[in-house]
Amino acid sequence: MELHKHENNDYGYMKDYVYEVLKKNIIELRLKPGMNLKKEKIAKELEVSITPIREAFARLSEDELVDIYPQRGTYVSLINMKKVEQAKFMREHLERAVARLACSDFPEDYILKLKTNIKMQEIYVEEENYIKLFELDNEFHKIIFDGCNKGDIWLSIQQLSNHVSRSRILSLAANFNGNELIVEHQKIVEAIQQGDKELADRIITKHISRIKFDSDKLTTEYPGYFEKQ
């Protein structure tokens, strides 16, 4: 096991740092679905005691990212397609609504932020860095919510997106094609600039539908990563 660690530990408590490190590694599939997590190994790698790891496991269980079985151990949870579908449903309807708001009134400096984000996406597509592209994709949509003064809604979406995030990471890793993602993002920006609500609605719907299409393929290609329905 080789965990990707945060470069700077700005967390006030070690338990928060351990939680964030483990969560990031689970979301990014460095800790794969079904993997047995050994407290002792993690403690040695992160150079911490067992206590913050035990506390982190409890929080990750609440996030439905690990399953804790007494006397058997702690395992990274399998991806639950019902939860992927629910997150997709929520994202689609909320993002369509926010995109329509953006078409009515959206600050120019946020347009610049979106275009800068897309430029960064192009760099990481060239490098085939799907983790960075995933992060920039999330940041792109967050900018739209923030520009419409709906940032708290985006945070709520993220809290319920753990399973869909893993599915999206797996999709990018398995079939890296970030160019389509970039083209859709560019069209979203154009629709916002033109104030074209119908166009924005269509693009967002197509953009989010990718989650379901990709997930259906992934359950066939990586059956061991998903819960049996």
Side-chain angles (χ1 to χ4, degrees), residues 6 9 19-20 27 48 50 52 66 81 83 100 103-104 117 131 157 165 169-170 179 197 199 203 206 209 217 222 225:
H6 296 294
N9 181 2
Y19 166 75
E20 291 295 341
I27 293 293
V48 299
I50 294 294
V66 304
M81 281 305 301
K83 295 186 183 300
R100 284 179 168 272
C103 288
S104 297
N117 178 282
I131 297 294
I157 291 174
S165 292
I169 286 281
L170 183 59
N179 290 312
K197 296 181 181 181
L199 177 59
I203 298 167
K206 178 184 177 183
S209 69
K217 288 171 44 179
Y222 299 88
Y225 283 7

Side-chain angles (χ1 to χ4, degrees), residues 95 97-114 138-155 192:
E95 291 205 37
V98 170
R100 284 179 168 272
L101 284 177
C103 288
S104 297
D105 183 24
F106 199 73
E108 191 61 36
D109 57 326
Y110 279 82
I111 290 289
L112 180 59
K113 289 180 181 181
L114 290 174
N138 273 346
E139 180 64 23
F140 178 89
H141 293 280
K142 180 180 183 296
I143 291 169
I144 298 176
F145 277 76
D146 287 343
C148 295
N149 295 312
K150 297 293 183 288
D152 287 344
I153 294 177
W154 176 253
L155 290 177
I192 291 173

Side-chain angles (χ1 to χ4, degrees), residues 55-100:
E55 293 171 333
F57 280 1
R59 289 175 65 183
L60 291 167
S61 177
E62 292 175 0
D63 294 338
E64 299 181 328
L65 286 174
V66 304
D67 297 316
I68 301 174
Y69 300 102
Q71 312 305 320
R72 285 177 50 197
T74 298
Y75 296 80
V76 178
S77 67
L78 300 179
I79 300 171
N80 185 307
M81 281 305 301
K82 289 182 179 178
K83 295 186 183 300
V84 170
E85 176 57 33
Q86 288 183 51
K88 172 195 169 292
F89 180 88
M90 176 177 61
R91 277 197 63 175
E92 179 178 338
H93 288 273
L94 290 175
E95 291 205 37
R96 286 171 63 188
V98 170
R100 284 179 168 272

